[in-house]
């Protein structure tokens, strides 16, 4: 029995020994690197060495990397970058990498799954990550998997420099291999611009973040810190010294798995095949980073005050010219300008009633009946009541004179046209205050979230001041405000001179010159200043949602200029303020609908209303405001055509008819163009209609003025020439499209350009300056255009 027990003990001992040996052999096989060395629980690893190993369930590998920054200047300037790859890992049993540092932990899986904003997921079998830089580090890298079978992986770690001073070229980035670099502000620099450029169109996120761990450098996390923007070929972010702590920041580059966030249509065809996944794996983008210092504090204030001084020079010129004219008149023996060209007509020949022609010598009719006043005008009743009745019936006279359309009491008309000012002030207050609140909210959202895709700036020339991301684009609108106020001052001066002239006028003399009503002029000056305010509001955060802020007062300016030209010869028949502003509100309403809901049905309705309004205004202008739309108009027109063929066969005013026909052809062409192409920038389309009609009416006015024998004085000619030249140059800069909210933010940045003027203003800012000057000169044209008629009796001034 003892012998049997001993034999059994020997057999069990052999079995135990065999099992122990097998376990040791297996353990040695699992924990073996590429060189066949046995690895312990935490094996020291070397930088730059490629480890090609296998792992399986319950058997992980731990590598230990050590380094110490002995040079204090290099602290934070270098970081460990780890590259890992596993070609046979699966999404069911991925290989897990956990990197443990002194103050942070970083982990990822291979294959790495990245999900885009549109919900599409992509797998990547190769990953590159940069760890947070620290002075003394022991980095533990744990590699494990839940797969029961061995899974092979490759891993290498390098110690790389991440600090850049003025730029870095040829940076290779892919969706699973993001990059970040560190920038430290020099002592004498308060603001820098980070510019990124690439030759390909792969969608990328450019981000600047505070120097802290963890660094948000992956899809899905990059949006959680700092400031960011999408880019394809170009991107730029302005960073101030006090934006982040310690005057340092990280520049993070992340390539997106597809281009849907940067383009309207993705260029890569989606497929689930392995070849297509390889295509996504190869989405490598090469980026060049440049960092440039922006203007210093002294340079900034020099630009600000030089711009202010430039527009103050207009005030100085106006003051000098005014003083020179005053002393010239005194040296010439003239007390003031109100005595120039007094209407010296023999009182015995003066008309017996206000506005009548009486026995004044009149010019003969031309053969086609244009402009000149015939004897039929003398036979008409001259009282205001009979004249009003005559206008309501629709006079058949060939040509009217200004005296017949300026019979209402002057105080009543002055009150009527003052309403243009007060209504516009009220409108501006209630329109501007919500606009300011809204754009400030937009800017605060940008500052809080760091999402610079909200606003469409020219980022390569956007200087942040305070909470404004593009202060230069806002400040460049100061020209509208200053020149608008200057125009109001000049109108007030002219009003004072007119009142002096009215006090010294001989009541026995007939009224001379164009009736002077300044309410619309004041409204034009206010509209110009408000255009500057609203354009500045728009450029706080330019985008698709608030473009109407930039165009609303442009409509008003164009409308007021046309009304002023019409009022000049039709003071009694001009529109009331509430009617004019309601019409503008109607245009703005259509603008909002067109921008937000530009459907074919909308375009059909718009074109029908547009053509009907154009025809109505044309008829009104042709009949000099005497035609009224009322019930039975079609029946009356039919009776005239049937019973009065001789009357209908010959136009009453050939020149006006030809120009109105031409204008209607242009407007119908605009309507056809709109309904065929349906432009997405509906606000600019409406603005183009207003501008073209304004130019046509101005050309018609100048043509009729010259045709009727009136003069264009030297000063008016100078203003016309200067306005034409400045408008031409301004439009050149306007056509330099630096941004477009019709595109995605990333595609819009491809058109961004550097500053052109004083290293502070871009071409759109120059457009602001030149367009403000052009509008001011255009207003001055209307202010002085009729100075040649100051000594001409009103019953000899033609209406057109």
């Amino acid at each position: 029995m003892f012998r049997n027990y001993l034999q059994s003990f020997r057999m069990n001992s052999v079995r135990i020994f065999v099992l122990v040996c097998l376990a040791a052999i297996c353990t040695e096989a699992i924990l073996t690197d590429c060189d066949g060395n046995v690895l312990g629980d935490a094996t020291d690893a070397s930088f730059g060495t490629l480890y090609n190993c296998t792992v399986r369930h319950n058997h992980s590998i731990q590598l230990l990397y050590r380094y110490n920054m002995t040079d204090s200047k290099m602290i934070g300037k270098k970081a460990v970058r780890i590259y890992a790859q596993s070609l046979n890992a699966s999404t069911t049993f991925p290989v897990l990498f956990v990197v443990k540092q002194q103050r942070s932990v970083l982990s990822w899986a291979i294959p790495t799954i990245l999900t885009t904003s549109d919900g599409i997921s992509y797998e990547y079998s190769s990953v590159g990550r940069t760890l947070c830089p620290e002075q003394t580090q022991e980095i533990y890298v744990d590699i494990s998997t839940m797969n029961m079978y061995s899974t092979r992986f490759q891993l290498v770690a390098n110690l790389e420099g991440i600090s850049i001073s003025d730029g870095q070229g040829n940076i290779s980035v892919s969706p699973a291999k993001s990059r970040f670099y560190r920038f430290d502000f020099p002592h004498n620099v308060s603001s820098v611009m980070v510019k990124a450029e690439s030759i390909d169109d792969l969608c990328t996120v450019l981000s600047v973040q505070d120097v802290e761990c963890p660094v948000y450098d992956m899809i899905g996390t990059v949006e959680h810190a700092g400031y960011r923007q999408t880019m394809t070929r170009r991107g730029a972010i302005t960073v101030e010294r006090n934006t982040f702590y310690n005057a340092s920041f990280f520049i993070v580059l992340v390539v997106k798995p597809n281009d849907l966030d940067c383009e309207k249509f993705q260029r890569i065809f989606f497929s689930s095949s392995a070849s297509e996944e390889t295509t996504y794996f190869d989405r490598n983008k090469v980026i060049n980073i440049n960092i440039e210092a922006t203007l210093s504090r002294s340079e900034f204030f020099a630009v600000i005050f030089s711009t202010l001084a430039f527009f103050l020079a207009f005030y100085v010129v106006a003051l000098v010219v005014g003083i020179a004219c005053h002393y010239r008149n005194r040296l010439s023996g003239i007390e003031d300008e109100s005595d120039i060209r007094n209407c010296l007509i023999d009182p015995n020949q003066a008309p017996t009633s206000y506005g009548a022609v009486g026995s004044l010598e009149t010019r003969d009719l031309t053969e086609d009946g244009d402009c000149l006043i015939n004897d039929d005008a003398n036979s008409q009743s001259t009282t205001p009541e009979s004249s009003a009745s005559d206008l309501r019936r629709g006079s058949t006279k060939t040509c009217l004179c200004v005296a017949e359309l300026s019979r209402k009491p002057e105080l009543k008309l002055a009150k009527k046209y003052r309403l243009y000012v007060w209504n516009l002030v009220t409108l501006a207050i209630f329109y501007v205050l919500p606009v300011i609140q809204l754009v400030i909210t937009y800017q605060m959202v940008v500052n809080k979230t760091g999402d610079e895709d909200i606003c469409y700036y020219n980022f390569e020339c956007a200087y942040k001041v305070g909470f404004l991301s593009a202060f230069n684009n806002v400040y460049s609108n100061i020209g509208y405000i200053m020149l608008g106020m200057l125009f109001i001052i000049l109108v007030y001066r002219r009003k004072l001179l007119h009142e002096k002239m009215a006090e010294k006028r001989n009541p026995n003399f007939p009224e001379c010159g164009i009736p002077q009503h300044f309410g619309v002029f004041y409204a034009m000056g206010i509209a110009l200043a408000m255009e500057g305010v609203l354009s500045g509001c728009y450029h706080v955060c330019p985008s698709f949602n608030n473009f109407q802020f930039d165009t609303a007062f442009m409509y008003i300016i164009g409308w007021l200029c046309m009304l002023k030209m019409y009022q000049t010869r039709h003071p009694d028949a001009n529109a009331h303020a509430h009617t004019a502003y309601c019409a503008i509100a109607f245009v703005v309403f259509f603008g909002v609908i067109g921008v937000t809901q530009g459907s074919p049905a909308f375009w059909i309705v718009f074109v029908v209303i547009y053509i009907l309004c154009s025809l109505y205004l044309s008829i009104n202008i042709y009949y000099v405001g005497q035609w009224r739309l009322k019930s039975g108009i079609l029946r009356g027109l039919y009776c005239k055509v049937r019973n009065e063929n001789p009357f209908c066969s010959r136009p009453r005013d050939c020149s006006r008819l030809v120009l109105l026909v031409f204008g209607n052809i242009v407007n119908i062409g605009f309507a056809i163009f709109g309904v065929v192409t349906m432009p997405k920038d509906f606000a600019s389309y409406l603005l183009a209609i207003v501008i073209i009609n304004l130019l046509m009416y101005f050309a018609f006015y100048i043509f009729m003025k010259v045709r009727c024998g009136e003069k264009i004085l030297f000063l008016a000619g100078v203003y016309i020439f200067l306005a034409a030249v400045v408008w031409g140059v301004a439009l050149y800069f306007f056509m330099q499209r630096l941004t477009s909210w019709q595109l995605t933010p990333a595609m819009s940045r491809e058109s961004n350009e550097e500053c052109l003027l004083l290293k502070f203003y871009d071409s759109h800012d120059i457009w602001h300056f030149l367009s403000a000057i052009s509008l001011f000169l255009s207003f001055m044209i209307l202010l002085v255009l009729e100075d040649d008629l100051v000594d001409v009796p009103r019953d000899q001034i033609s209406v057109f």
Side-chain angles (χ1 to χ4, degrees):
M1 182 176 179
F2 176 79
R3 182 179 299 177
N4 292 337
Y5 177 80
L6 181 60
Q7 184 177 0
S8 176
F9 175 80
R10 289 177 179 175
M11 292 180 62
N12 290 334
S13 299
V14 170
R15 290 174 182 174
I16 292 172
F17 177 80
V18 172
L19 290 175
V20 170
C21 292
L22 288 176
I25 294 173
C26 292
T27 303
E28 181 178 357
I30 294 174
L31 300 178
T32 301
D33 65 359
C34 301
D35 299 326
N37 299 322
V38 178
L39 302 178
D41 292 337
T43 303
D44 289 337
S46 302
F47 289 107
T49 301
L50 176 64
Y51 293 91
N52 187 357
C53 306
T54 58
V55 291
R56 65 185 178 89
H57 181 54
N58 290 334
H59 295 282
S60 62
I61 294 178
Q62 186 178 72
L63 303 177
L64 173 61
Y65 291 91
R66 292 187 177 94
Y67 73 90
N68 184 19
M69 291 292 180
T70 58
D71 187 357
S72 60
K73 295 182 179 179
M74 297 304 297
I75 297 176
K77 304 297 179 66
K78 287 189 176 182
V80 176
R81 183 165 177 83
I82 298 178
Y83 297 90
Q85 181 176 349
S86 179
L87 298 179
N88 60 344
S90 64
T91 56
T92 305
F93 297 105
V95 178
L96 305 179
F97 296 80
V98 180
V99 181
K100 293 178 287 186
Q101 296 176 265
Q102 180 177 346
R103 294 179 297 175
S104 62
V105 175
L106 181 65
S107 64
W108 67 87
I110 293 181
T112 294
I113 300 177
L114 301 180
T115 303
T116 60
S117 59
D118 54 330
I120 302 176
S121 298
Y122 302 97
E123 298 180 10
Y124 295 90
S125 59
S126 179
V127 175
R129 301 297 299 273
T130 302
L131 309 184
C132 272
E134 295 182 2
Q135 180 178 0
T136 302
Q137 290 203 28
E138 288 187 350
I139 302 175
Y140 292 88
V141 182
D142 293 334
I143 305 99
S144 61
T145 183
M146 298 296 291
N147 197 345
M148 299 298 297
Y149 301 97
S150 297
T151 304
R152 182 165 295 278
F153 71 91
Q154 296 82 37
L155 182 144
V156 61
N158 298 319
L159 190 60
E160 300 180 352
I162 62 170
S163 176
I164 56 177
S165 57
D166 56 357
Q168 181 78 24
N170 298 324
I171 302 173
S172 179
V173 189
S174 65
K177 297 178 181 179
S178 58
R179 289 270 190 173
F180 69 83
Y181 294 88
R182 173 172 175 163
F183 176 81
D184 296 296
F185 276 90
H187 294 294
N188 58 344
V189 175
S190 60
S191 177
V192 296
M193 181 175 292
V194 180
K195 295 182 179 181
E197 295 182 354
S198 178
I199 60 174
D200 59 63
D201 296 325
L202 297 181
C203 187
T204 306
V205 177
L206 171 64
S207 173
V208 293
Q209 304 175 15
D210 201 356
V211 178
E212 60 182 10
C213 296
V215 180
Y216 299 94
D217 60 345
M218 291 296 291
I219 297 296
T221 65
V222 70
E223 300 177 355
H224 297 164
Y227 293 88
R228 66 193 179 279
Q229 58 182 230
T230 56
M231 59 164 285
T232 52
R233 293 177 178 267
R234 308 180 75 167
I237 299 179
T238 300
V239 184
E240 292 183 308
R241 187 184 189 92
N242 57 1
T243 301
F244 300 113
Y245 298 111
N246 299 324
S248 303
F249 60 88
F250 284 140
I251 303 170
V252 182
L253 300 171
V254 181
V255 174
K256 294 206 170 188
N258 61 37
D259 299 325
L260 289 178
D261 290 335
C262 293
E263 300 180 358
K264 294 182 179 179
F265 302 100
Q266 188 174 2
R267 297 185 178 184
I268 301 176
F269 178 75
F270 294 106
S271 175
S272 58
S273 64
S275 61
E276 290 296 326
E277 292 178 3
T278 303
T279 301
Y280 295 124
F281 178 80
D282 293 338
R283 280 175 61 90
N284 291 318
K285 186 181 184 71
V286 178
I287 302 175
N288 295 323
I289 296 292
N290 294 313
I291 302 177
E292 302 174 358
T294 59
L295 296 180
S296 63
R297 186 178 182 88
S298 59
E299 293 173 331
F300 169 76
F301 283 109
V303 172
I304 295 300
F305 288 117
S306 62
T307 304
L308 190 65
F310 174 75
F311 286 105
L312 285 176
F314 284 85
Y315 286 77
V316 175
V317 171
L319 179 62
V320 170
V321 171
I323 294 175
C325 291
H326 176 72
Y327 281 100
R328 183 199 63 181
N329 295 335
R330 294 192 63 179
L331 292 175
S332 303
I334 303 175
E335 184 176 353
D336 56 47
E337 293 181 20
S338 63
D339 293 327
I340 300 176
R341 296 191 192 178
N342 276 331
C343 210
L344 301 179
I345 300 179
D346 188 354
N348 296 326
Q349 295 182 353
T352 57
S353 63
Y354 169 56
V357 177
S359 60
L360 288 173
E361 180 180 359
T362 60
R363 288 169 279 185
D364 296 331
L365 270 172
T366 58
E367 184 176 351
D368 58 355
D370 283 336
C371 298
L372 305 185
I373 303 171
N374 60 7
D375 292 337
D376 293 338
N378 299 340
S379 62
Q380 302 296 326
S381 174
T382 59
T383 63
E385 293 79 3
S386 61
S387 177
S389 177
D390 205 27
L391 287 175
R392 285 193 297 268
R393 291 194 305 268
S395 175
T396 60
K397 289 187 288 186
T398 304
C399 190
L400 293 171
C401 63
V402 172
E404 293 177 294
L405 293 179
S406 59
R407 298 186 178 186
K408 293 182 179 180
E410 185 174 352
L411 292 177
K412 181 179 180 179
L413 288 178
K415 182 179 179 181
K416 171 184 176 181
Y417 292 120
R418 276 199 301 270
L419 291 177
Y420 275 88
V421 178
W422 297 115
N423 285 2
L424 184 62
V425 170
T426 305
L427 184 151
I429 292 174
F430 282 93
Y431 190 83
V432 169
L433 290 181
V435 167
I436 294 175
Q437 180 181 1
L438 180 62
V439 296
I440 290 178
T441 301
Y442 278 143
Q443 184 65 76
M444 292 177 63
V445 170
V446 172
N447 296 340
K448 290 290 185 181
T449 64
D451 186 3
E452 295 196 344
D453 284 350
I454 297 175
C455 306
Y456 285 73
Y457 304 117
N458 176 20
F459 287 90
E460 295 194 16
C461 187
Y463 286 88
K464 187 172 183 179
V465 176
F467 73 96
L468 297 177
S469 298
F471 176 79
N472 54 315
N473 295 147
V474 177
Y475 184 72
S476 62
N477 292 280
I478 192 173
Y480 296 108
I481 300 174
M482 295 186 66
L483 294 182
M485 300 306 296
L486 176 59
F487 183 74
I488 292 174
I489 294 173
L490 295 177
V491 171
Y492 180 71
R493 173 183 176 273
R494 176 165 285 239
K495 179 176 179 292
L496 294 179
L497 294 177
H498 171 69
E499 290 175 351
K500 290 182 179 180
M501 179 184 293
E503 291 175 358
K504 297 180 180 182
R505 186 183 66 84
N506 192 330
N508 296 322
F509 290 165
E511 294 279 0
C512 297
I514 296 295
Q516 297 295 312
H517 302 291
F518 301 95
V520 179
F521 277 133
Y522 283 127
M524 289 164 58
I526 295 174
L528 181 58
M530 293 310 303
E531 169 58 27
V533 174
L534 282 172
S535 179
C537 291
Y538 165 71
H539 285 91
V540 169
C541 182
S543 66
F544 170 83
N545 297 319
N546 57 10
F547 181 63
Q548 60 175 331
F549 302 159
D550 195 24
T551 57
F553 270 80
M554 292 183 185
Y555 302 144
I556 294 177
I557 289 174
W559 193 252
L560 289 176
C561 288
M562 286 188 282
L563 284 174
K564 184 57 192 176
M565 284 190 288
Y566 188 80
Q567 179 212 45
T568 302
R569 310 268 173 158
H570 312 76
D572 289 357
N574 205 17
H576 292 276
H578 63 273
T579 304
Y581 292 133
C582 282
I584 297 173
F586 188 69
V587 172
V588 173
F589 171 76
F590 262 98
V592 174
I593 300 299
V595 169
T596 57
Q597 302 289 336
S599 61
F602 163 80
W603 275 100
I604 293 174
V605 173
F606 169 75
V607 166
V608 171
I609 295 177
Y610 176 27
I611 294 177
L612 291 178
C613 291
S614 179
L615 293 176
Y616 172 77
L617 291 175
S618 298
I619 296 174
N620 227 345
I621 293 174
Y622 181 74
Y623 286 102
V624 201
Q626 303 173 34
W627 187 78
R628 294 292 183 271
L629 181 62
K630 54 187 178 180
S631 59
I633 187 69
L634 295 178
R635 181 178 180 182
L637 181 62
Y638 170 75
C639 293
K640 281 185 175 292
V641 172
R642 185 183 64 179
N643 301 326
E644 303 181 16
N645 288 331
F647 172 78
C648 296
S649 61
R650 183 176 183 274
R652 59 191 299 179
D653 193 330
C654 292
S655 299
R656 186 181 287 112
L657 179 64
V658 170
L659 292 173
L660 288 175
V661 169
F662 175 77
N664 276 277
I665 292 175
V666 172
N667 280 283
I668 292 175
F670 259 108
I672 295 174
F673 171 80
V675 76
V676 171
T677 62
M678 290 190 292
K680 295 182 179 179
D681 191 356
F682 186 76
S684 296
Y685 171 79
L686 274 182
L687 185 60
I689 292 176
V690 174
I691 293 175
I692 293 299
N693 279 275
L694 174 60
L695 292 177
M696 287 194 301
Y697 189 37
F698 180 74
F700 163 76
Y701 194 94
I702 295 296
F703 173 81
M704 293 297 293
K705 183 176 177 66
V706 174
R707 186 176 179 84
C708 293
E710 299 175 4
K711 298 178 181 179
I712 305 295
L713 296 184
F714 175 76
L715 185 58
V718 170
Y719 282 134
I720 292 174
F721 173 76
L722 292 177
V725 172
V726 180
W727 269 122
V729 179
L731 289 175
Y732 168 78
F733 286 100
F734 177 75
M735 298 305 294
Q736 307 299 313
R737 295 288 186 176
L738 303 180
T739 60
S740 176
W741 43 259
Q742 300 179 56
L743 305 174
T744 60
M747 296 181 68
S748 174
R749 290 187 186 94
E750 294 183 9
S751 302
N752 289 178
E753 294 181 0
E754 296 181 353
C755 301
L756 292 180
L757 182 63
L758 302 176
K759 296 182 181 180
F760 190 75
Y761 298 117
D762 58 22
S763 58
H764 194 74
D765 295 324
I766 299 175
W767 150 255
H768 287 163
F769 296 146
L770 295 179
S771 61
I773 297 172
S774 303
L775 286 170
F776 174 75
L777 293 174
S778 302
F779 289 2
M780 293 303 297
I781 293 173
L782 300 182
L783 188 63
V784 304
L785 185 59
E786 302 296 354
D787 285 356
D788 63 305
L789 302 177
V790 69
D791 58 351
V792 178
R794 292 179 183 175
D795 49 16
Q796 294 185 15
I797 301 176
S798 303
V799 173
F800 45 78

